[in-house]
């Protein structure tokens, strides 16, 4: 292989590694400075619901992991436009919070979920039930020691 090309490739790789390392430092710094979350998944869930009930969708979206916040804000804004309220969203998350079963991994880093399974219509002529599950998941931000929704 051409020694000039090898030297160029090495310099290029070192620059790419520096850029990646800087992006990683910035990402970790952002995680460290996150204040939107609780010390438990339940606390984060309650903070999220409080923001929703106050119709503060921007704040509510901040309880999600940073890479999901913009998408969640868009979804909540669409819900407001579509239904002229957040009532369906609030009801859905309230059901999950109040009736859901908390399931967590033994490893904190794998997170927790609240699962709420309910019957949508029951066939009286058979033993079959049509069930659906609503859930929301949480991930621990180890840099800020808070739980975030995912």
């Amino acid at each position: 292989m051409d020694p000039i090309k090898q030297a160029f490739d090495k310099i290029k790789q070192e620059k790419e590694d520096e850029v990646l390392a800087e992006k990683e430092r910035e990402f970790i710094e952002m995680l460290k400075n996150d204040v939107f979350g609780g010390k438990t998944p339940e606390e984060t869930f309650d903070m999220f619901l409080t923001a929703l009930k106050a119709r503060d969708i921007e704040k509510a979206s901040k309880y999600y992991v940073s890479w999901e916040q913009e998408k969640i804000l868009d979804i909540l804004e669409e819900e407001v436009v579509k239904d002229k309220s957040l009532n369906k969203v609030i009801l859905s998350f309230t059901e999950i919070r109040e009736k859901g079963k908390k399931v967590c991994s033994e490893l904190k880093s794998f997170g927790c979920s609240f699962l709420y399974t309910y019957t949508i219509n029951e066939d009286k002529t058979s033993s079959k039930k049509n069930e659906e599950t609503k859930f929301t998941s949480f991930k621990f931000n180890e840099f800020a020691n808070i739980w975030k929704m995912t």
Side-chain angles (χ1 to χ4, degrees), residues 78-127:
E78 286 173 17
E79 192 65 30
V80 170
V81 169
K82 183 174 75 175
D83 290 334
K84 307 288 186 249
S85 76
L86 290 170
N87 292 341
K88 289 180 183 177
V89 173
I90 292 168
L91 177 63
S92 181
F93 278 105
T94 300
E95 282 181 334
I96 296 168
R97 176 67 178 101
E98 292 176 356
K99 299 176 183 176
K101 179 182 178 197
K102 180 180 167 186
V103 180
C104 295
S105 167
E106 288 184 26
L107 298 174
K108 200 174 195 179
S109 61
F110 289 155
C112 294
S113 292
F114 286 81
L115 304 168
Y116 170 48
T117 302
Y118 58 100
T119 303
I120 51 174
N121 59 20
E122 195 169 347
D123 185 348
K124 304 281 188 209
T125 61
S126 75
S127 60

Side-chain angles (χ1 to χ4, degrees), residues 61-78:
S61 70
K62 293 189 183 301
Y63 292 104
Y64 277 81
V65 291
S66 58
W67 53 93
E68 291 286 332
Q69 290 174 7
E70 198 172 308
K71 180 178 113 184
I72 295 301
L73 182 57
D74 288 345
I75 290 169
L76 293 174
E77 286 173 343
E78 286 173 17

Side-chain angles (χ1 to χ4, degrees), residues 1 12 18 20 22 31-32 40 44 61 67 78 98 100 102 105 117-118 149:
M1 181 177 236
K12 183 179 171 189
E18 287 175 25
L20 284 174
E22 180 59 28
L31 293 176
K32 285 180 181 177
T40 65
T44 298
S61 70
W67 53 93
E78 286 173 17
E98 292 176 356
K102 180 180 167 186
S105 167
T117 302
Y118 58 100
M149 298 176 76

